[in-house]
Each structure stands twice: as C-alpha cells, then as structure tokens.
Amino acid sequence: LGDIAVCESLRVAGDDLDEAIIDHMKKTYNLMIGEQTAERIKIDIGSAAPTGGEEKSMEVRGRDMISGLPRKTVITSEEVREALSEPVSAIIETVTRVLERTEPELAADLVE
C-alpha cells in the first residue's frame, strides 16, 4: 500500500563483485588485473547461477605477479561464478532474512 513493510541494508554492490573477481585472479593465476577488466569479465561471462546453456570462456590479460611481465590466460564462466559466490551468498542471505520477517499476506502476494 505504498509503505515500507520490512527493510534491511546490505553494503554489497558491483564494486564488491569486481573485487571478488580481482582476488580470484590473484589467488588462482597470480595475475593482476584492473577494475575495468574485472568489470568486463563480470558483464561478459559472469552470472550468479548456471545459465543452462554452454559455459562461456574469455581471454584475460594482466600482469604476472611473479615475473612482472604481461601475460594472458583463459577463464570460464564457471570460475567467475565461483569467484562471485561469496558476495552473491551475502545478498541471498539478506533477501531470505527479509522475506522471513515479511507479513504472511505480503509474502503470499510476492509469490504470486
């Protein structure tokens, strides 16, 4: 009826998803990538759940953290999903908590 029924704030957004991808590339490949590259990976092949279609892959260029030289590698959408799992889980948990506190009538309307 135009009012707030239940409210909870979570400070997880696109930058946190980009940071998760950057961290994954550091840990898995010893490859340093920038925010723009992480954003491109997120948009091009990132997803929160399997899409049911063919897994996508992407060539990623960055700086090797050991040698300091430019290097490229290929990552898959499955790897990106794994990298994004922590921030996505935080979002899912928050939505679940809010739905648990929602009035039964409103929850029924949301299901419809």
Side-chain angles (χ1 to χ4, degrees), residues 45-86:
I45 65 172
S47 65
T51 59
E54 184 179 326
E55 291 292 325
K56 297 178 183 177
S57 62
M58 180 177 181
E59 186 177 87
V60 178
R61 299 167 198 244
R63 182 170 40 93
D64 190 297
M65 293 174 59
I66 297 170
S67 68
L69 299 173
R71 182 167 63 93
K72 61 183 174 181
T73 190
V74 176
I75 62 167
T76 65
S77 54
E78 184 178 353
E79 286 181 82
V80 176
R81 257 193 313 280
E82 184 180 312
L84 297 176
S85 66
E86 188 175 318

Side-chain angles (χ1 to χ4, degrees), residues 6-7 12 18 27 33-34 44 46 49 60 62 89 97 102 108:
V6 180
C7 178
V12 175
D18 293 344
K27 291 176 190 171
I33 63 170
D44 290 350
V60 178
S89 293
R97 276 196 311 271
T102 303

Side-chain angles (χ1 to χ4, degrees), residues 7-48:
C7 178
E8 187 170 331
S9 179
L10 176 67
R11 299 217 178 266
V12 175
D15 290 344
D16 296 305
L17 298 173
D18 293 344
E19 194 63 39
I21 293 171
I22 291 170
D23 290 344
H24 174 76
M25 296 303 291
K26 285 180 189 176
K27 291 176 190 171
T28 307
Y29 296 103
N30 286 323
L31 190 69
M32 179 69 80
I33 63 170
E35 291 177 9
Q36 291 179 339
T37 303
E39 178 80 9
R40 190 169 45 87
I41 292 168
K42 178 180 70 176
I43 291 170
D44 290 350
I45 65 172
S47 65

